[in-house]
Every structure is written in structure tokens, then in C-alpha cells.
Amino acid sequence: MSVQIRGLSRSFGDRTVLNGVDLDAEPSRVLALLGPNGAGKTTLIRIVATLLRPHGGTVRVAGHEVVTDPVAVRGELSLTGQFTALDDEQTGRENVVMTGRLMHLGRRAARGRATELLERFSLGAAADRRVRTFSGGMRRRLDLAMSLVGSPSVLVLDEPTTGLDPVSRDELWDVVGELAADGTTVLLSTQYLPEADRLADRIAVLHEGRIVADGTADELKSRVGGTRLRMTFDGPGLDRAQELLRDLGPLRDIGRRELDLASDGSAAHLHRLLAELDAAGTLPERVSAHRPGLDDVFRTLTTANDRS
């Protein structure tokens, strides 16, 4: 495994942030780490990147343990954080060359690597402009280019597309997909569900310091049912429907007087459901069916964990 995490724990004072996390990132694959604010994603990322010591468990990156051999880990791993780390007064080329020199490349090697990466990230034409003139998408691509100067085997991305417009986001997604195809292992922390759906070979859901689900997008979607039923009720009917349907499976109140319920997609199930609601005098005003997405997975798994 490129990244292997076993029994990872970390606390801040009396608050436990990570509580026995087990996780694997396979070579040349994208592993997406999903979770709400405060779930422990950034803490986990910082431990993997040797920026924070764990209180328990082990983390190995390319076979090296993060506590006992952090220097070797840093030689295999690169981290792109939530905010770009660029010198606005330097040009794009100067930023990449500076990174190469800090990584002990010679002048010629650093300039050659800078030219290669700037072209790869479609920044060649802007390479000699000051970074303060770059758009948000260009700045993000430059930040990622700088992360790859040392040809890391593991790339850690912490919410890399936060604040990007849709076009810039798509461009960055293409680059990340290419990196994985070329052999880089990517550990992607994100709250943007379409990003995980688009890029990830596997997805792990972190909630309250624990991994509550781990699998492919299709595997996780299957856990919340093959079909979702969305029902709209009037005000009093909503409360009665919640009481009636609560025991039939994971139920979500998604606002706008709507409830969302897992179904097998059959007409028989819908008929039985409507018959029970009719008998209780609380038929929905509207019913629609849709295939589950990662938003359904995320909400269902984290809500179920809260109730347990």
C-alpha cells in the first residue's frame, strides 16, 4: 500500500478527533476522504504529511513510518493544502525554480523541471508573468505543479478546488486524473461530492473521528438503496409521515416539506408505502424517484452514525 493507516488516534485536550482510523490508499489510485466539518479530515492529512504527531496507531507512507522515519516520508510525499503557497511577486517560473532549488536540484535541473511542469499544467504561456496577475485556476495549477517538482509517489490534496470556478475545477480534475493514470497515488480530502464521484477509485467517509464507510462510489450508493423516493407533504402531514416512516429505513428530512426514503424501486413497494400513508391520513402531495448519489450516501451514513 502507498499509504497504510492502522488504529490512528489523535486528541486535542479532552476532545478526541481521530478514534481508531484504519485506511489504505492503493498505488496509482485516487482515494477520496469525505466528511463534514470537524470530522477529522485535516488532522488525518496533517499526520500523514508528518506535520502532526499521532497519539496512537501507525501510519506508513511508501513503507516508511511517519513518526520514526519522517524524513523518508517527506521524500515520497507532497502536500497541496487548502490555500496556495505562492510568492505573488515572483513569476510562475521563478516560483517553480525556487521550489526545485529548495529541494536541492541544481540550477539547470531546476529550470528544466520548471519548464516541464509549467507546460504540463498549461502555464507555459504565462510562465514569466508575476503570479499576482494569475487567475484562481492558474494559481491552483501552479501550486500543484510546485508540489510535483520532486516527483512524489504520493500526492495529498486537501480540498484542492475550494473557491474555483467550474471551468478551473474541471481543468484541475483532468490534471489529477492524469497524475493517477501516470502512477501517482492521490489522497484527496474534499467536501465537494461531485469531485469525489468524478475522481475517486475508492471513497472513505470519516465522521466523528471514525471511518463509517469505505468502498467505490457504486458500492456506497448501493448501501442507501437502489432508488430513493422523495415525498412532499403539507405541514401537519409531514410530522405524521415522519412518525410512520421512521422504522422503514434511513429517513431524511431534506427541508421544503420533503422526506427522502430508500426503496427497492418496485411498484409493489411504492403501493404498500402509499397505502400505509393513506390509512394514516397523510398522503404526500408529490412523489418522485431518483437514483442515489453521493449526497444521499453522505447524509444517510452520517445521520445513521449520529443516531447510533
Side-chain angles (χ1 to χ4, degrees):
M1 291 294 172
S2 293
V3 179
Q4 185 181 66
I5 299 172
R6 294 290 181 271
L8 180 62
S9 64
R10 172 72 201 200
S11 299
F12 294 95
D14 59 358
R15 176 171 167 258
T16 299
V17 178
L18 297 173
N19 189 5
V21 171
D22 294 332
L23 195 62
D24 291 318
E26 300 177 358
S28 306
R29 296 289 187 270
V30 178
L31 171 65
L33 184 64
L34 300 182
N37 289 330
K41 300 189 304 299
T42 297
T43 298
L44 186 148
I45 292 296
R46 292 180 65 196
I47 291 173
V48 170
T50 75
L51 300 176
L52 188 67
R53 291 178 67 92
H55 287 158
T58 60
V59 179
R60 295 185 178 277
V61 176
H64 306 291
E65 217 282 326
V66 298
V67 173
T68 60
D69 202 359
V71 174
V73 170
R74 292 169 195 148
E76 297 285 347
L77 176 146
S78 185
L79 168 66
T80 297
Q82 296 180 21
F83 306 101
T84 56
L86 308 173
D87 186 334
D88 284 353
E89 296 307 313
Q90 291 195 96
T91 66
R93 188 184 309 277
E94 288 169 342
N95 268 273
V96 184
V97 169
M98 176 184 67
T99 302
R101 297 291 286 148
L102 289 171
M103 298 186 72
H104 307 296
L105 296 181
R107 290 184 183 275
R108 180 176 296 181
R111 290 188 66 82
R113 184 66 172 149
T115 297
E116 174 190 345
L117 288 170
L118 289 165
E119 291 296 332
R120 180 175 188 178
F121 286 86
S122 302
L123 292 169
D128 297 309
R129 283 169 41 191
R130 293 189 187 277
V131 170
R132 56 181 166 82
T133 69
F134 281 21
S135 68
M138 294 170 67
R139 293 171 65 88
R140 207 27 146 169
R141 294 203 307 275
L142 178 61
D143 196 39
L144 191 54
M146 292 166 62
S147 296
L148 297 175
V149 168
S151 301
S153 64
V154 178
L155 177 63
V156 180
L157 303 176
D158 191 5
E159 300 187 19
T161 60
T162 299
L164 293 187
D165 62 80
V167 173
S168 297
R169 185 183 297 126
D170 283 343
E171 291 174 348
L172 193 64
W173 286 351
D174 288 341
V175 169
V176 173
E178 291 169 4
L179 290 172
D182 288 344
T184 303
T185 300
V186 179
L187 176 57
L188 168 68
S189 170
T190 183
Q191 294 189 71
Y192 188 53
L193 302 179
E195 186 163 75
D197 216 354
R198 163 86 172 265
L199 292 175
D201 297 287
R202 295 190 69 81
I203 297 169
V205 182
L206 182 66
H207 185 50
E208 296 184 342
R210 294 180 179 275
I211 299 295
V212 296
D214 183 4
T216 67
D218 286 342
E219 287 170 348
L220 296 187
K221 290 172 186 177
S222 70
R223 290 182 57 171
V224 297
T227 300
R228 304 294 299 183
L229 295 177
R230 185 160 296 172
M231 296 166 285
T232 305
F233 296 86
D234 62 21
L238 178 65
D239 293 335
R240 291 198 300 272
Q242 284 180 312
E243 293 177 5
L244 180 66
L245 300 175
R246 177 170 291 124
D247 297 329
L248 299 182
L251 179 70
R252 293 194 287 113
D253 181 351
I254 59 177
R256 302 183 304 277
R257 299 182 295 116
E258 293 180 343
L259 297 177
D260 189 270
L261 181 71
S263 171
D264 61 11
S266 68
H269 179 259
L270 179 59
H271 178 76
R272 290 194 304 272
L273 187 62
L274 292 177
E276 290 188 36
L277 291 169
D278 188 24
T282 182
L283 275 174
E285 296 175 352
R286 288 188 301 276
V287 179
S288 62
H290 64 97
R291 299 290 294 174
L294 280 183
D295 58 338
D296 297 294
V297 172
F298 184 82
R299 290 170 178 151
T300 299
L301 290 174
T302 55
T303 299
N305 195 68
D306 286 338
R307 288 199 301 259
S308 62

